[in-house]
Amino acid sequence: MKTRSNKKLEKLPPYLFVEIDRKKKAAMERGVDIISLGVGDPDRPTPAHIIKAGQKALEKPANHQYPFGAGLISFRKAVAGWYKSRFNVTLDPETEIWTLLGSKEGIGHFHLAFVDPGDVVLIPEPGYPVYNTGTIFTDGEPYFMPLVEENGFLPDLKKIPESVARKAKVIFVNSPCNPTAAVAPRSFFEELVAFAKKYGIIVAHDAAYSEIFYEEKPMSFLEVPGAMEVGVEFHSLSKTYNMTGWRLGWVCGNAGIVKGLGTVKDNYDSGVFQAVQEAGTEALNGSQQCVEEMRNLYRERRDVFVDGLRKLGWKVNKPKATFYVWARTPQGYGSEETVGKLLDEAGIVCTPGNGMGPSGEGYVRFALTVDVPRLKEALGRMSKIKW
Ligand SMILES: *Cc1c(COP(=O)(O)O)cnc(C)c1O
C-alpha cells in the first residue's frame, strides 16, 4: 500500500491546535488538573432560543435532503438584515452572500478559486494558520506580513515590495485579530482598498471576532467606499453565538468573488445542513441580548486575568476585542519555553506565539475560555513559578 501523502501535505506543519490538544491530553493522562487557555473555543453553550430553533428545524423532512448552493434564502436574508443593522452595509442576499460550513472551510477553499501556481498570497503573521494552508495546497507563494507591536500589530502595506505586490492575487486580513487582539481602524481599511485597487489584489477579510469587543465596536471592511469592488468578508456564528460545533458561517461582498468561491463549493460540498441554517437564522434575527451577555462575561474575565498578570509582572496590553490575551513572555524566556514551564509547573495550557508565525516569538496567547474562579486559580499557580 502506498500510504505516503503527496508533497503538499508533507509541506504542512502539524496543525498547531491539534498538537496543543495532544500535549494537553497527555498531561491529563498523567493526572494533572489542566487549566486550558489554549484553543479558542467558547466554553459556554449555544443560547437556548437558538437550540430550540434548531430542534424544530430538525423535525422537518425538507431539511433532511441535500441543501445545495448558496444556502437558504431565509438565512441569507437574515445575514443581509444583520449587516444592515450592525454595519449599515447593504448586501444583495441573492448574489453577495454564500453560506459556509464555518468560515475556516471558506477561507481554506478560497485559494482554489483564485490562486494559480506561483501567485503570491499576502498573509499576516502571526495569524490563523488556514490562510497559509490554502496557499500551500494551491502552490501559491506565501508572502508574510509581520504583525509587530511598533505598528499596532497591523500589516504594514508600505513595506510590501512593489515586485511582490504586482505578483499578489489575494491579501488576507483579520480584524479583530487572532492572536494579537488588534482592531484595524478605518484609515487602515481605506489604505487597504487603495492598495488592492492599485495592484488588482482580492481582499479577503476575516471578521470572525467582530462581535467580541469591549469598548468600541469594530467596523466591517465593507463599510469603506470601494471595498465591495475589491473584496469579501468572512463571518462566522462560531464565536458570536457559541456555535463552534454547528459549523456555520458565510462569505459576503463582491458578487464575482462570492461566486468564485461558491463554484468551488458546488463542486466540493453540498451545503450546510438546513436545520443548522435555520438555527443560524434565529441567531441573527432574534434578540441580541445573549451577545451582550457574552461580551460582559469575557470583559470580566479579561479584567481579572490581565490585572492579575500585570501584578505578577507580565507585560500585557488589555485587549479591546477578541477573547485572547497576547502577552509578552517573561524576560529571558522564549515562547516555547514559557509554554513548557506553564504546563509543567502550573498545569496551564496556552499557545506559543511563534506557533502562529515567527513574529509571534516572545509572546504567548491565552484564551479566556474558562470561568473567573479558574482564571484566579491559574493566576495563583503562576504566582509560584520562579522565572
Ligand atoms: C475561530 C476563527 C474562525 C472561525 O472558524 P469557524 O470555522 O467559523 O468556526 C475564523 N478565523 C479566525 C481567525 C478564528 O480564530
Side-chain angles (χ1 to χ4, degrees), residues 76 79-80 82-83 87 89-93 95-100 110 203-205 207 220-222 227-228 231-235 249-255 257-258 261:
R76 287 179 284 148
V79 168
W82 183 82
Y83 247 76
F87 301 117
V89 167
T90 306
L91 293 169
D92 178 356
T95 58
E96 294 175 334
I97 300 168
W98 204 289
T99 310
L100 303 173
F110 195 68
V203 175
H205 178 230
S220 160
F221 152 72
L222 298 176
M228 286 290 271
V232 290
E233 197 152 70
F234 286 94
H235 259 283
W250 72 85
V251 63
C252 61
N254 181 276
I257 302 173
V258 166
L261 177 56

Side-chain angles (χ1 to χ4, degrees), residues 98-119:
W98 204 289
T99 310
L100 303 173
L101 293 137
S103 55
K104 178 181 182 181
E105 177 266 312
I107 292 165
H109 285 143
F110 195 68
H111 310 64
L112 286 170
F114 300 105
V115 178
D116 281 313
D119 282 348

Side-chain angles (χ1 to χ4, degrees), residues 14 35 40 69 106 113 116 125 153 165 170 191 195 241 246 290 315 375 378:
I35 301 176
D116 281 313
E125 70 83 10
F153 294 113
V170 176
E191 191 190 345
F195 175 79
Y241 302 102
W246 297 67
C290 57
K315 281 208 188 106
L375 286 174

Side-chain angles (χ1 to χ4, degrees), residues 184-191 219 223-225:
R186 178 175 294 269
S187 57
F188 173 78
F189 285 128
E190 285 168 350
E191 191 190 345
M219 63 182 289
E223 287 177 45
V224 172

Side-chain angles (χ1 to χ4, degrees), residues 40 101-105 107 128 131 174 178 206 208-209 235-239 244 247-249 324:
L101 293 137
S103 55
K104 178 181 182 181
E105 177 266 312
I107 292 165
Y128 193 51
Y131 313 134
N174 173 215
N178 169 14
D206 179 354
Y209 294 94
H235 259 283
S236 169
L237 283 86
S238 290
K239 315 288 162 54
T244 48
R247 312 312 302 133
L248 182 59
Y324 300 114

